[in-house]
Amino acid sequence: MTQQEKAPEVLFVGGAGRAPLSIDVVATAIAQARSRGMVTRLMSHAADIPHTRRAVELADAVDAIDFTDADAAVAWSAELAGGDPRPRVVFTGREPALGPAARMAEALGVAGNPPWSVDTVRNKDACREFLAGAGFRQPAVRLCRDRAEAERAMGETRGPWVVKPRVGGGSLGVSKVSDPAGLPAALDLLPDEGPFLVEEFVEGEEFSVEGLFLGGTPHVLAVTAKRKLPPPYFVEVGHSLPAPLPEPVTREVTETVAKALTALGLRFGLFHVELWLTADGIVLGEVHSRLAGGYIHRMLAHAVPGLEMFGAVFDDALGSPPAAADLSCTRAGASRFFTPPAGRLVRVEGWEEAAAHPAVVAAELRVAPGDVIPSYRHSEERVGALAVGADTVEEAEELVGRLVESVRFVVEPADGTAP
């Protein structure tokens, strides 16, 4: 038996999505696994494989599996393990794969989050109810199945409100409603006809907390400040870490998040928790048992010297100490997404120069001349981003702002849009 045939294997459930960010996450994770001598295997939808070649070509094996079918994924992994009993790590960074990955890990008897914990945090109303019952501040929320139930929920609660899908991410289908008359338009934005939520709009500055579990205990890497477009939509267009907060506030935030994660039973992998700082204290937002988007993984790699975030998860799953014992955030990072005017793109000026800046840790441009740029309603409509590393968060914010402003999108009217 060769050394590779004995080596532990990482199962990347869901493989990579088609977005450049998702491909970069999986490629980075594969590189960190291979540097540890691990074998890597992607489980991906057959239709995604041709569109994710950068990640696919790095993996040792690729299997076309419907990973959203938990029963089929568990059966496939059991058959794999039965014929090849090497140690395994089950990992995913994709929202639709979180539930199946938890069930696979449980069936294989390897490190993972309890399926009930993952199901709870993925169903946003269930998570709200659980955390409120555990003593954490939460926005009031109602589960609705049609317009009549939503109107009743608005009549029984104080506005403004947020209408959102019960499950999902990337602000898809999420909108603010200031008056009941705006409800029909908000319902039209929902991605499907399933149950949805009407939630209290929280007044306060929004942050997120990024971290990982080691030995079942949550370790916070950074608190992240957010920039968003004005309502009615909630598209994030910038991140900065570590957030410039007073030390006592940062400590309270990290302690609150750690207690919430522990109460929810989460114990493995990466986490991304959203929250608001309000006049009445911390109000927890959505909890995710996965990493954040927005190239935060690239910024963390700069801000926490020596950190290999994915590698640390793999080490922990196999009972090894993390490669970087000190997980302190001693530097900083910032990202900005481009917010060009809507219209048909004629050309982009200054992109090559901005992307080539030595402080840039991630650069993405998703449009080319001839493409139509929409007015943003959710994160998947963003056309590109730059992320930088620096010694301080103030330096990072100034630099990334300057670089983004140096890139000019020249557009012309298209299909009723105006430049």
Side-chain angles (χ1 to χ4, degrees), residues 184-353:
L187 297 181
D188 288 342
L189 291 173
L190 294 171
D192 56 50
E193 297 181 357
F196 59 93
L197 306 181
V198 174
E199 184 175 277
E200 171 192 5
F201 177 78
V202 178
E203 295 283 356
E205 194 171 0
E206 188 173 350
F207 299 85
S208 65
V209 178
E210 333 303 338
L212 72 164
F213 294 91
L214 296 175
T217 300
H219 288 257
V220 170
L221 297 171
V223 179
T224 303
K226 297 185 180 187
R227 289 186 178 218
K228 288 190 170 186
L229 292 179
Y233 310 117
F234 295 86
V235 182
E236 295 180 12
V237 292
H239 305 93
S240 306
L241 62 85
L245 294 170
E247 194 278 332
V249 176
T250 297
R251 184 171 62 251
E252 182 183 8
V253 165
T254 58
E255 290 175 353
T256 300
V257 167
K259 289 176 182 177
L261 291 167
T262 301
L264 284 162
L266 296 171
R267 65 193 182 202
F268 173 76
L270 304 168
F271 60 82
H272 167 63
V273 181
E274 298 169 337
L275 58 91
W276 296 271
L277 295 182
T278 75
D280 297 322
I282 296 170
V283 177
L284 290 177
E286 294 179 8
V287 177
H288 302 280
S289 55
R290 55 162 173 79
L291 77 161
Y295 290 100
I296 287 177
H297 71 291
R298 288 287 183 181
M299 292 187 285
L300 283 172
H302 174 86
V304 183
L307 172 68
E308 290 193 347
M309 184 165 56
F310 307 104
V313 171
F314 305 151
D315 292 340
D316 181 64
L318 297 173
S320 302
D326 183 6
L327 300 178
S328 301
C329 190
T330 60
R331 297 188 294 197
S335 67
R336 294 290 182 274
F337 284 85
F338 298 111
T339 55
R344 188 177 304 280
L345 182 63
V346 176
R347 64 183 180 275
V348 180
E349 300 172 347
W351 164 251
E352 291 81 5
E353 294 82 358

Side-chain angles (χ1 to χ4, degrees), residues 4 24 55 70 98 101 109 163 203 211 217 222 226 242-243 352 357 396 402:
Q4 188 182 49
D24 187 70
L98 290 169
V163 175
E203 295 283 356
T217 300
K226 297 185 180 187
E352 291 81 5
H357 191 284
R402 179 158 43 87

Side-chain angles (χ1 to χ4, degrees), residues 104-169:
M104 286 174 59
E106 182 180 60
L108 294 174
V110 302
N113 286 311
W116 73 265
S117 297
V118 174
D119 290 344
T120 299
V121 300
R122 291 207 69 225
N123 286 281
K124 299 171 186 178
D125 57 307
C127 192
R128 290 271 186 262
E129 182 179 355
F130 184 98
L131 289 174
F136 297 93
R137 289 190 181 94
Q138 291 282 273
V141 63
R142 300 288 180 87
L143 178 65
C144 303
R145 291 169 179 80
D146 53 35
R147 177 175 173 176
E149 289 189 5
E151 289 174 340
R152 187 158 53 249
M154 287 180 168
E156 296 171 352
T157 57
R158 185 177 62 182
W161 305 269
V162 177
V163 175
K164 63 201 302 186
R166 191 182 194 188
V167 176

